[in-house]
Amino acid sequence: MNGGIFLEKFDVCIIGGGPAGYVSALKCAINGLSAAIIEKERFGGTCLNRGCIPTKVLYSKAKFLKKLKTPERGFTINGFNFNYEEIIKYKDEVVLTLTSGVEKLLKARKVNIFYGSGKIKGKNGEKGFSVSIDSKDGSSAEISADNVIAATGSSPLMIPAFNIDHKNIITSDEALSLNKIPKSLIIIGAGVIGCEFANIFSEFGCSIEMIELLPSILSTEDKEISRFIDKNFKSRNIEVKTGAEVKSIKALEAGAEVELVTGEKFSAEKVLVSIGRKLNTSDLGLEEIGVTMDKRGKIETDMHNETNIKGIYACGDIIDGPMLAHKASYDGIIAADNIAGIIKEKDYGVLPWSVYTNPSIGTVGLREGDAGLSEIKYTVGRFSYAASGMALAMEEPEGFLKVVVEPETKKILGATGIGADIPELIAEIASYMHFGGTVFDIESTIHSHPTLSEIVPEAALDSIGEAIHKFNPRTAKKA
Ligand code: NAI
């Protein structure tokens, strides 16, 4: 791309190189389609560059730090230091390794890479959709494709009264690149991002105050888990103010000040705003071509991820469903397969997710209190980490797993829990659910001993009063 316009024709043009876009591009190539991908920054999107992966590096370091501060029984640690700048450098190296790995994979699969901002210009009969690419250096180009996949993701939500200046009033993007830990931090929004950052920064010695609009933190999680984290945070002196509405935020010479609608004021060295994300669907030429979107810019798609305009697909955060990287990649595969004539309908029925607090949280399918269970009879089985040999050996006795079961068929409807490595246990349950598995399928699967995975059959069997290493007089089967 060097200033001039050239035209090249592809089977598919993907706009956006995050987990939806790059996975979709690779799958198109695997399916034998000629594919072009347009990315304006670095491959990997929010997940690899500013989300899942960099936060997990910091999460892992924070967990290590916790072990140093409160070592396992039998150990005394006589002083230690950490260099946060080095930690940030390591995080950047991990990000670079993964993002450049994605680029190498795309090249190896012969996906044509274009750097710049992609925009659909229109449809031109046999030539398909024309897509312009404007790069940062001012050059531009145009390609055409029979199909276009929009996969442009989301970015932190900004509210004018919050005056985000990216210095003292920041979003998760900047929070990941601070070279030193602030002395104090106010986090607005105690959702997934807010709680993951509260866990990390508090471990590194930052004094944290969280302000949440709703009556509880992590309000979309299971109520018991939300209370567990609330208690965990309070025990670590993380102040949590719920049911509080922020009126405005203003930057001070040193720091920033938050004012609530009640007039109460709080100040700190930095304020992190994590109140949700907005969809990156403007300026893609979608409206002009007639793609149906709602007021927030969310794109309507069918079961194949195709929009109302034949040949235009959309995947990831910009369509229905939770904003999760793995859901975005799944969307990308659905679109790539359908374009290649491998007809598949999407199904988000078994969609696991995790929250990386310490301990971590994992969920799949239905939980007690979910609307999907209001009309259905169900039982809940439960098993504690404190009763697992492996958890005790690891000195990780905190937490539990709950499994929701359909009483007549004993089919697994969902599971949620909190505890060490729980996302890995949830991954196992998701596999059973994908194949319509029951409590007995779990029971008849031999689980290696000693592993945390033994918690899975115990929790499932407890739903019918048959857990081996638990006696619950309320649910236990009468002889
Ligand atoms: P979120 O929707 O999870 O949480 C935002 C929180 O801010 C909510 O609790 C909301 O009640 C609160 N809030 C909204 N407006 C407010 C205001 N004016 N004042 C105070 N509180 C306010 O959004 P978040 O944390 O920004 O995350 C965005 C998305 O990213 C999530 O949907 C999640 O799916 C995804 N994500 C997933 C992760 C994972 O899977 N581990 C990690 C991080 C993000």
mmCIF file of all heavy atoms in Angstrom, residues 56 159 162 188-194 196 211-214 216 218-220 244-246 274-277 322-324 326 353-356, ligand 1:
data_model
loop_
_atom_site.group_PDB
_atom_site.id
_atom_site.type_symbol
_atom_site.label_atom_id
_atom_site.label_comp_id
_atom_site.label_asym_id
_atom_site.label_seq_id
_atom_site.Cartn_x
_atom_site.Cartn_y
_atom_site.Cartn_z
ATOM 1 N N LYS A 56 -3.786 -10.861 32.805
ATOM 2 C CA LYS A 56 -3.432 -12.154 33.424
ATOM 3 C C LYS A 56 -1.966 -12.198 33.819
ATOM 4 O O LYS A 56 -1.597 -12.856 34.791
ATOM 5 C CB LYS A 56 -3.775 -13.324 32.492
ATOM 6 C CG LYS A 56 -5.110 -13.994 32.746
ATOM 7 C CD LYS A 56 -6.073 -13.202 33.597
ATOM 8 C CE LYS A 56 -7.237 -12.614 32.915
ATOM 9 N NZ LYS A 56 -7.838 -11.402 33.182
ATOM 10 N N ILE A 159 -17.904 8.784 29.538
ATOM 11 C CA ILE A 159 -19.034 9.666 29.825
ATOM 12 C C ILE A 159 -18.457 11.070 29.967
ATOM 13 O O ILE A 159 -17.475 11.248 30.704
ATOM 14 C CB ILE A 159 -19.742 9.207 31.133
ATOM 15 C CG1 ILE A 159 -20.432 7.870 30.881
ATOM 16 C CG2 ILE A 159 -20.704 10.252 31.659
ATOM 17 C CD1 ILE A 159 -21.250 7.371 32.033
ATOM 18 N N PHE A 162 -17.262 12.482 33.198
ATOM 19 C CA PHE A 162 -16.186 11.767 33.895
ATOM 20 C C PHE A 162 -14.803 12.280 33.470
ATOM 21 O O PHE A 162 -13.794 11.896 34.050
ATOM 22 C CB PHE A 162 -16.291 10.255 33.663
ATOM 23 C CG PHE A 162 -17.428 9.601 34.437
ATOM 24 C CD1 PHE A 162 -18.354 10.367 35.126
ATOM 25 C CD2 PHE A 162 -17.555 8.220 34.475
ATOM 26 C CE1 PHE A 162 -19.405 9.780 35.834
ATOM 27 C CE2 PHE A 162 -18.587 7.621 35.187
ATOM 28 C CZ PHE A 162 -19.519 8.403 35.871
ATOM 29 N N ILE A 188 -14.268 3.287 39.538
ATOM 30 C CA ILE A 188 -15.701 3.509 39.299
ATOM 31 C C ILE A 188 -16.222 2.308 38.515
ATOM 32 O O ILE A 188 -15.786 2.067 37.390
ATOM 33 C CB ILE A 188 -15.959 4.798 38.472
ATOM 34 C CG1 ILE A 188 -15.153 5.992 39.008
ATOM 35 C CG2 ILE A 188 -17.455 5.115 38.404
ATOM 36 C CD1 ILE A 188 -15.567 6.490 40.347
ATOM 37 N N GLY A 189 -17.156 1.573 39.120
ATOM 38 C CA GLY A 189 -17.716 0.373 38.476
ATOM 39 C C GLY A 189 -17.046 -0.874 39.036
ATOM 40 O O GLY A 189 -15.858 -1.106 38.798
ATOM 41 N N ALA A 190 -17.822 -1.640 39.805
ATOM 42 C CA ALA A 190 -17.276 -2.873 40.399
ATOM 43 C C ALA A 190 -17.782 -4.078 39.621
ATOM 44 O O ALA A 190 -18.336 -5.029 40.183
ATOM 45 C CB ALA A 190 -17.646 -2.961 41.871
ATOM 46 N N GLY A 191 -17.609 -4.012 38.298
ATOM 47 C CA GLY A 191 -17.927 -5.163 37.450
ATOM 48 C C GLY A 191 -16.677 -6.006 37.279
ATOM 49 O O GLY A 191 -15.780 -6.000 38.135
ATOM 50 N N VAL A 192 -16.596 -6.700 36.145
ATOM 51 C CA VAL A 192 -15.493 -7.633 35.929
ATOM 52 C C VAL A 192 -14.149 -6.896 35.888
ATOM 53 O O VAL A 192 -13.202 -7.260 36.595
ATOM 54 C CB VAL A 192 -15.700 -8.407 34.608
ATOM 55 C CG1 VAL A 192 -14.677 -9.489 34.470
ATOM 56 C CG2 VAL A 192 -17.097 -8.986 34.533
ATOM 57 N N ILE A 193 -14.060 -5.846 35.072
ATOM 58 C CA ILE A 193 -12.784 -5.148 34.931
ATOM 59 C C ILE A 193 -12.399 -4.484 36.246
ATOM 60 O O ILE A 193 -11.262 -4.620 36.721
ATOM 61 C CB ILE A 193 -12.853 -4.109 33.781
ATOM 62 C CG1 ILE A 193 -13.036 -4.850 32.440
ATOM 63 C CG2 ILE A 193 -11.612 -3.227 33.754
ATOM 64 C CD1 ILE A 193 -13.076 -3.958 31.215
ATOM 65 N N GLY A 194 -13.351 -3.790 36.871
ATOM 66 C CA GLY A 194 -13.070 -3.102 38.135
ATOM 67 C C GLY A 194 -12.545 -4.059 39.195
ATOM 68 O O GLY A 194 -11.547 -3.775 39.865
ATOM 69 N N GLU A 196 -11.184 -7.102 38.775
ATOM 70 C CA GLU A 196 -9.881 -7.700 38.442
ATOM 71 C C GLU A 196 -8.754 -6.711 38.767
ATOM 72 O O GLU A 196 -7.717 -7.088 39.314
ATOM 73 C CB GLU A 196 -9.840 -8.144 36.965
ATOM 74 C CG GLU A 196 -10.705 -9.380 36.718
ATOM 75 C CD GLU A 196 -10.403 -10.089 35.383
ATOM 76 O OE1 GLU A 196 -9.563 -9.612 34.610
ATOM 77 O OE2 GLU A 196 -11.023 -11.146 35.143
ATOM 78 N N ILE A 211 -16.432 2.368 43.718
ATOM 79 C CA ILE A 211 -17.751 3.013 43.740
ATOM 80 C C ILE A 211 -18.624 2.327 42.697
ATOM 81 O O ILE A 211 -18.274 2.302 41.511
ATOM 82 C CB ILE A 211 -17.629 4.524 43.465
ATOM 83 C CG1 ILE A 211 -16.764 5.152 44.576
ATOM 84 C CG2 ILE A 211 -19.004 5.174 43.393
ATOM 85 C CD1 ILE A 211 -16.539 6.635 44.429
ATOM 86 N N GLU A 212 -19.713 1.741 43.145
ATOM 87 C CA GLU A 212 -20.575 0.955 42.254
ATOM 88 C C GLU A 212 -22.011 1.461 42.350
ATOM 89 O O GLU A 212 -22.532 1.672 43.439
ATOM 90 C CB GLU A 212 -20.468 -0.539 42.646
ATOM 91 C CG GLU A 212 -21.524 -1.465 42.074
ATOM 92 C CD GLU A 212 -21.583 -1.494 40.550
ATOM 93 O OE1 GLU A 212 -20.528 -1.637 39.911
ATOM 94 O OE2 GLU A 212 -22.686 -1.348 40.006
ATOM 95 N N LEU A 213 -22.628 1.583 41.187
ATOM 96 C CA LEU A 213 -23.999 2.100 41.099
ATOM 97 C C LEU A 213 -25.019 1.117 41.693
ATOM 98 O O LEU A 213 -25.970 1.513 42.380
ATOM 99 C CB LEU A 213 -24.299 2.324 39.610
ATOM 100 C CG LEU A 213 -25.563 3.017 39.197
ATOM 101 C CD1 LEU A 213 -25.570 4.453 39.710
ATOM 102 C CD2 LEU A 213 -25.680 3.023 37.667
ATOM 103 N N LEU A 214 -24.825 -0.162 41.427
ATOM 104 C CA LEU A 214 -25.798 -1.179 41.844
ATOM 105 C C LEU A 214 -25.587 -1.561 43.321
ATOM 106 O O LEU A 214 -24.557 -1.227 43.906
ATOM 107 C CB LEU A 214 -25.682 -2.408 40.942
ATOM 108 C CG LEU A 214 -26.051 -2.149 39.473
ATOM 109 C CD1 LEU A 214 -25.822 -3.392 38.634
ATOM 110 C CD2 LEU A 214 -27.492 -1.681 39.340
ATOM 111 N N SER A 216 -24.729 -4.321 44.659
ATOM 112 C CA SER A 216 -23.660 -5.268 45.005
ATOM 113 C C SER A 216 -22.562 -5.225 43.954
ATOM 114 O O SER A 216 -22.793 -4.799 42.815
ATOM 115 C CB SER A 216 -24.212 -6.682 45.111
ATOM 116 O OG SER A 216 -24.707 -7.088 43.859
ATOM 117 N N LEU A 218 -19.837 -7.151 41.415
ATOM 118 C CA LEU A 218 -19.957 -8.297 40.503
ATOM 119 C C LEU A 218 -21.407 -8.763 40.436
ATOM 120 O O LEU A 218 -21.720 -9.934 40.661
ATOM 121 C CB LEU A 218 -19.049 -9.442 40.974
ATOM 122 C CG LEU A 218 -17.555 -9.295 40.717
ATOM 123 C CD1 LEU A 218 -16.794 -10.493 41.237
ATOM 124 C CD2 LEU A 218 -17.230 -9.084 39.239
ATOM 125 N N SER A 219 -22.285 -7.823 40.134
ATOM 126 C CA SER A 219 -23.718 -8.094 40.249
ATOM 127 C C SER A 219 -24.226 -9.130 39.247
ATOM 128 O O SER A 219 -25.316 -9.671 39.424
ATOM 129 C CB SER A 219 -24.513 -6.798 40.103
ATOM 130 O OG SER A 219 -24.245 -6.265 38.835
ATOM 131 N N THR A 220 -23.452 -9.415 38.205
ATOM 132 C CA THR A 220 -23.936 -10.416 37.252
ATOM 133 C C THR A 220 -23.495 -11.829 37.662
ATOM 134 O O THR A 220 -23.873 -12.802 37.022
ATOM 135 C CB THR A 220 -23.440 -10.126 35.823
ATOM 136 O OG1 THR A 220 -22.027 -9.958 35.873
ATOM 137 C CG2 THR A 220 -24.063 -8.874 35.247
ATOM 138 N N ALA A 244 -24.041 3.740 44.815
ATOM 139 C CA ALA A 244 -23.546 5.122 44.788
ATOM 140 C C ALA A 244 -23.451 5.617 43.350
ATOM 141 O O ALA A 244 -22.836 4.963 42.512
ATOM 142 C CB ALA A 244 -22.180 5.200 45.445
ATOM 143 N N GLU A 245 -24.075 6.774 43.109
ATOM 144 C CA GLU A 245 -24.068 7.308 41.744
ATOM 145 C C GLU A 245 -23.069 8.461 41.625
ATOM 146 O O GLU A 245 -23.114 9.410 42.409
ATOM 147 C CB GLU A 245 -25.481 7.784 41.380
ATOM 148 C CG GLU A 245 -25.612 8.039 39.898
ATOM 149 C CD GLU A 245 -27.034 8.454 39.506
ATOM 150 O OE1 GLU A 245 -27.981 8.203 40.284
ATOM 151 O OE2 GLU A 245 -27.168 9.058 38.442
ATOM 152 N N VAL A 246 -22.190 8.332 40.639
ATOM 153 C CA VAL A 246 -21.175 9.365 40.443
ATOM 154 C C VAL A 246 -21.781 10.515 39.635
ATOM 155 O O VAL A 246 -22.417 10.288 38.610
ATOM 156 C CB VAL A 246 -19.960 8.775 39.679
ATOM 157 C CG1 VAL A 246 -18.943 9.862 39.341
ATOM 158 C CG2 VAL A 246 -19.305 7.661 40.494
ATOM 159 N N SER A 274 -14.350 2.054 34.932
ATOM 160 C CA SER A 274 -14.620 0.749 34.286
ATOM 161 C C SER A 274 -16.114 0.457 34.417
ATOM 162 O O SER A 274 -16.543 -0.338 35.241
ATOM 163 C CB SER A 274 -13.783 -0.350 34.938
ATOM 164 O OG SER A 274 -13.935 -0.332 36.342
ATOM 165 N N ILE A 275 -16.879 1.159 33.602
ATOM 166 C CA ILE A 275 -18.337 1.086 33.725
ATOM 167 C C ILE A 275 -18.977 0.449 32.488
ATOM 168 O O ILE A 275 -20.146 0.669 32.202
ATOM 169 C CB ILE A 275 -18.934 2.499 33.953
ATOM 170 C CG1 ILE A 275 -18.481 3.432 32.829
ATOM 171 C CG2 ILE A 275 -18.557 3.048 35.312
ATOM 172 C CD1 ILE A 275 -19.263 4.722 32.767
ATOM 173 N N GLY A 276 -18.223 -0.344 31.781
ATOM 174 C CA GLY A 276 -18.751 -0.995 30.586
ATOM 175 C C GLY A 276 -18.001 -0.525 29.348
ATOM 176 O O GLY A 276 -17.078 0.295 29.443
ATOM 177 N N ARG A 277 -18.410 -1.062 28.192
ATOM 178 C CA ARG A 277 -17.676 -0.768 26.957
ATOM 179 C C ARG A 277 -18.626 -0.337 25.852
ATOM 180 O O ARG A 277 -19.795 -0.708 25.857
ATOM 181 C CB ARG A 277 -16.880 -2.013 26.539
ATOM 182 C CG ARG A 277 -15.862 -2.420 27.607
ATOM 183 C CD ARG A 277 -15.065 -3.632 27.223
ATOM 184 N NE ARG A 277 -14.255 -3.458 26.039
ATOM 185 C CZ ARG A 277 -13.038 -2.928 26.020
ATOM 186 N NH1 ARG A 277 -12.481 -2.487 27.134
ATOM 187 N NH2 ARG A 277 -12.358 -2.843 24.891
ATOM 188 N N PRO A 322 -22.409 -12.077 25.355
ATOM 189 C CA PRO A 322 -21.438 -11.414 26.232
ATOM 190 C C PRO A 322 -20.146 -11.020 25.520
ATOM 191 O O PRO A 322 -19.766 -11.628 24.520
ATOM 192 C CB PRO A 322 -21.150 -12.471 27.307
ATOM 193 C CG PRO A 322 -21.588 -13.758 26.742
ATOM 194 C CD PRO A 322 -22.637 -13.474 25.712
ATOM 195 N N MET A 323 -19.493 -9.994 26.055
ATOM 196 C CA MET A 323 -18.227 -9.523 25.459
ATOM 197 C C MET A 323 -17.091 -10.378 25.986
ATOM 198 O O MET A 323 -16.428 -10.018 26.968
ATOM 199 C CB MET A 323 -18.003 -8.066 25.842
ATOM 200 C CG MET A 323 -18.962 -7.124 25.190
ATOM 201 S SD MET A 323 -18.589 -5.448 25.690
ATOM 202 C CE MET A 323 -19.608 -4.551 24.556
ATOM 203 N N LEU A 324 -16.889 -11.508 25.364
ATOM 204 C CA LEU A 324 -15.844 -12.436 25.800
ATOM 205 C C LEU A 324 -15.013 -12.826 24.588
ATOM 206 O O LEU A 324 -15.560 -13.069 23.507
ATOM 207 C CB LEU A 324 -16.467 -13.694 26.412
ATOM 208 C CG LEU A 324 -17.307 -13.504 27.679
ATOM 209 C CD1 LEU A 324 -18.098 -14.760 27.996
ATOM 210 C CD2 LEU A 324 -16.423 -13.114 28.853
ATOM 211 N N HIS A 326 -13.397 -15.589 23.857
ATOM 212 C CA HIS A 326 -13.639 -16.924 23.293
ATOM 213 C C HIS A 326 -14.976 -16.996 22.559
ATOM 214 O O HIS A 326 -15.127 -17.741 21.604
ATOM 215 C CB HIS A 326 -13.536 -18.018 24.367
ATOM 216 C CG HIS A 326 -14.272 -17.718 25.636
ATOM 217 N ND1 HIS A 326 -13.824 -16.803 26.549
ATOM 218 C CD2 HIS A 326 -15.424 -18.200 26.146
ATOM 219 C CE1 HIS A 326 -14.667 -16.746 27.563
ATOM 220 N NE2 HIS A 326 -15.656 -17.574 27.338
ATOM 221 N N TRP A 353 -17.315 -18.749 31.366
ATOM 222 C CA TRP A 353 -16.546 -17.521 31.547
ATOM 223 C C TRP A 353 -15.893 -17.511 32.927
ATOM 224 O O TRP A 353 -16.286 -18.266 33.804
ATOM 225 C CB TRP A 353 -17.383 -16.265 31.314
ATOM 226 C CG TRP A 353 -18.369 -15.901 32.370
ATOM 227 C CD1 TRP A 353 -18.156 -15.112 33.467
ATOM 228 C CD2 TRP A 353 -19.746 -16.303 32.415
ATOM 229 N NE1 TRP A 353 -19.321 -15.003 34.191
ATOM 230 C CE2 TRP A 353 -20.304 -15.716 33.573
ATOM 231 C CE3 TRP A 353 -20.551 -17.085 31.602
ATOM 232 C CZ2 TRP A 353 -21.635 -15.909 33.931
ATOM 233 C CZ3 TRP A 353 -21.880 -17.275 31.962
ATOM 234 C CH2 TRP A 353 -22.402 -16.683 33.100
ATOM 235 N N SER A 354 -14.885 -16.670 33.047
ATOM 236 C CA SER A 354 -14.105 -16.633 34.292
ATOM 237 C C SER A 354 -13.867 -15.191 34.704
ATOM 238 O O SER A 354 -13.819 -14.310 33.853
ATOM 239 C CB SER A 354 -12.727 -17.245 34.078
ATOM 240 O OG SER A 354 -12.750 -18.221 33.087
ATOM 241 N N VAL A 355 -13.692 -14.988 35.994
ATOM 242 C CA VAL A 355 -13.266 -13.685 36.493
ATOM 243 C C VAL A 355 -12.028 -13.944 37.345
ATOM 244 O O VAL A 355 -12.063 -14.782 38.256
ATOM 245 C CB VAL A 355 -14.368 -12.998 37.343
ATOM 246 C CG1 VAL A 355 -13.904 -11.611 37.771
ATOM 247 C CG2 VAL A 355 -15.680 -12.898 36.566
ATOM 248 N N TYR A 356 -10.947 -13.204 37.028
ATOM 249 C CA TYR A 356 -9.685 -13.470 37.717
ATOM 250 C C TYR A 356 -9.479 -12.553 38.909
ATOM 251 O O TYR A 356 -8.644 -11.668 38.897
ATOM 252 C CB TYR A 356 -8.527 -13.438 36.724
ATOM 253 C CG TYR A 356 -8.563 -14.674 35.863
ATOM 254 C CD1 TYR A 356 -9.285 -14.711 34.679
ATOM 255 C CD2 TYR A 356 -7.938 -15.835 36.288
ATOM 256 C CE1 TYR A 356 -9.361 -15.861 33.912
ATOM 257 C CE2 TYR A 356 -7.999 -16.994 35.538
ATOM 258 C CZ TYR A 356 -8.712 -17.001 34.354
ATOM 259 O OH TYR A 356 -8.791 -18.151 33.618
HETATM 260 P P1 NAI B 1 -19.292 -4.577 33.487
HETATM 261 O O1 NAI B 1 -20.581 -4.394 32.821
HETATM 262 O O2 NAI B 1 -18.817 -5.925 33.880
HETATM 263 O O3 NAI B 1 -19.268 -3.703 34.847
HETATM 264 C C1 NAI B 1 -19.501 -2.336 34.886
HETATM 265 C C2 NAI B 1 -19.985 -1.987 36.282
HETATM 266 O O4 NAI B 1 -20.048 -0.593 36.381
HETATM 267 C C3 NAI B 1 -21.379 -2.532 36.584
HETATM 268 O O5 NAI B 1 -21.355 -3.188 37.824
HETATM 269 C C4 NAI B 1 -22.235 -1.283 36.601
HETATM 270 O O6 NAI B 1 -23.310 -1.373 37.503
HETATM 271 C C5 NAI B 1 -21.241 -0.231 37.048
HETATM 272 N N1 NAI B 1 -21.564 1.123 36.631
HETATM 273 C C6 NAI B 1 -22.082 1.521 35.443
HETATM 274 N N2 NAI B 1 -22.210 2.870 35.426
HETATM 275 C C7 NAI B 1 -21.748 3.317 36.612
HETATM 276 C C8 NAI B 1 -21.602 4.604 37.189
HETATM 277 N N3 NAI B 1 -21.956 5.710 36.526
HETATM 278 N N4 NAI B 1 -21.091 4.709 38.447
HETATM 279 C C9 NAI B 1 -20.733 3.578 39.124
HETATM 280 N N5 NAI B 1 -20.857 2.343 38.628
HETATM 281 C C10 NAI B 1 -21.340 2.210 37.386
HETATM 282 O O7 NAI B 1 -18.232 -3.810 32.570
HETATM 283 P P2 NAI B 1 -16.667 -3.822 32.624
HETATM 284 O O8 NAI B 1 -16.175 -4.238 33.959
HETATM 285 O O9 NAI B 1 -16.260 -2.497 32.101
HETATM 286 O O10 NAI B 1 -16.288 -4.964 31.588
HETATM 287 C C11 NAI B 1 -16.705 -4.853 30.221
HETATM 288 C C12 NAI B 1 -16.832 -6.198 29.575
HETATM 289 O O11 NAI B 1 -15.558 -6.799 29.431
HETATM 290 C C13 NAI B 1 -17.690 -7.133 30.386
HETATM 291 O O12 NAI B 1 -18.923 -7.269 29.761
HETATM 292 C C14 NAI B 1 -16.944 -8.440 30.390
HETATM 293 O O13 NAI B 1 -17.680 -9.425 29.704
HETATM 294 C C15 NAI B 1 -15.648 -8.188 29.623
HETATM 295 N N6 NAI B 1 -14.525 -8.647 30.434
HETATM 296 C C16 NAI B 1 -14.386 -9.977 30.666
HETATM 297 C C17 NAI B 1 -13.366 -10.439 31.457
HETATM 298 C C18 NAI B 1 -13.258 -11.885 31.743
HETATM 299 O O14 NAI B 1 -13.919 -12.685 31.102
HETATM 300 N N7 NAI B 1 -12.446 -12.306 32.716
HETATM 301 C C19 NAI B 1 -12.383 -9.527 32.058
HETATM 302 C C20 NAI B 1 -12.664 -8.170 31.779
HETATM 303 C C21 NAI B 1 -13.688 -7.764 30.978
#
